């Protein structure tokens, strides 16, 4: 089943390669979406794809390999929108 998550990642996650880390994991898993910096210092991650692959990505967002220092990961489900590819913004 295809699912969508919208995630807000807080902490020291800008200027440390965090979006590119997420993009690499997402592309490797075949997920679609985007990782983008927000003006308030958080990173927003939107991901669509197979449920287990999305769960694995979310679990890695504050895992030991994540660059910077993650202090919070706020995950929300959303309606699948049929995104293609995974980009950074």
């Amino acid at each position: 089943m295809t699912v969508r998550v919208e995630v807000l990642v807080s902490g020291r996650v800008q200027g440390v390669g965090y979006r590119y880390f997420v993009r690499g994991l997402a592309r490797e898993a075949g997920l679609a979406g985007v990782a983008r910096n927000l003006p308030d210092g958080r990173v927003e991650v939107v991901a669509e794809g197979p449920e287990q692959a999305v769960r694995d990505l979310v679990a890695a967002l504050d895992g030991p390999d994540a660059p910077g220092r993650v202090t919070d990961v706020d995950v929300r489900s959303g309606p699948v929108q049929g995104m293609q590819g995974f980009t950074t913004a």
Side-chain angles (χ1 to χ4, degrees), residues 3 6 9-10 16-17 25 39-40 52 62-63 66 71-73 75 77:
V3 298
E6 299 164 0
V9 183
S10 301
V16 295
L25 293 175
D40 64 5
Q52 188 58 54
D62 66 349
T71 58
D72 189 52
V73 177
V75 183
S77 297

Side-chain angles (χ1 to χ4, degrees), residues 22-46:
V22 174
R23 182 181 68 188
L25 293 175
R27 285 182 175 175
E28 185 176 299
L31 300 176
V34 63
R36 63 179 143 242
N37 286 338
L38 297 177
D40 64 5
R42 295 179 297 172
V43 170
E44 178 185 39
V45 177
V46 177

Side-chain angles (χ1 to χ4, degrees), residues 4-88:
R4 175 187 176 100
V5 293
E6 299 164 0
V7 185
L8 296 175
V9 183
S10 301
R12 194 172 138 266
V13 290
Q14 291 189 12
V16 295
Y18 190 83
R19 290 175 299 146
Y20 304 101
F21 163 75
V22 174
R23 182 181 68 188
L25 293 175
R27 285 182 175 175
E28 185 176 299
L31 300 176
V34 63
R36 63 179 143 242
N37 286 338
L38 297 177
D40 64 5
R42 295 179 297 172
V43 170
E44 178 185 39
V45 177
V46 177
E48 292 185 357
E51 185 175 5
Q52 188 58 54
V54 170
R55 282 186 190 177
D56 292 345
L57 175 70
V58 170
L61 293 178
D62 66 349
D65 296 328
R69 185 176 57 82
V70 176
T71 58
D72 189 52
V73 177
D74 180 21
V75 183
R76 296 195 172 114
S77 297
V80 175
Q81 296 180 8
M83 299 178 83
Q84 300 293 314
F86 199 96
T87 62
T88 56

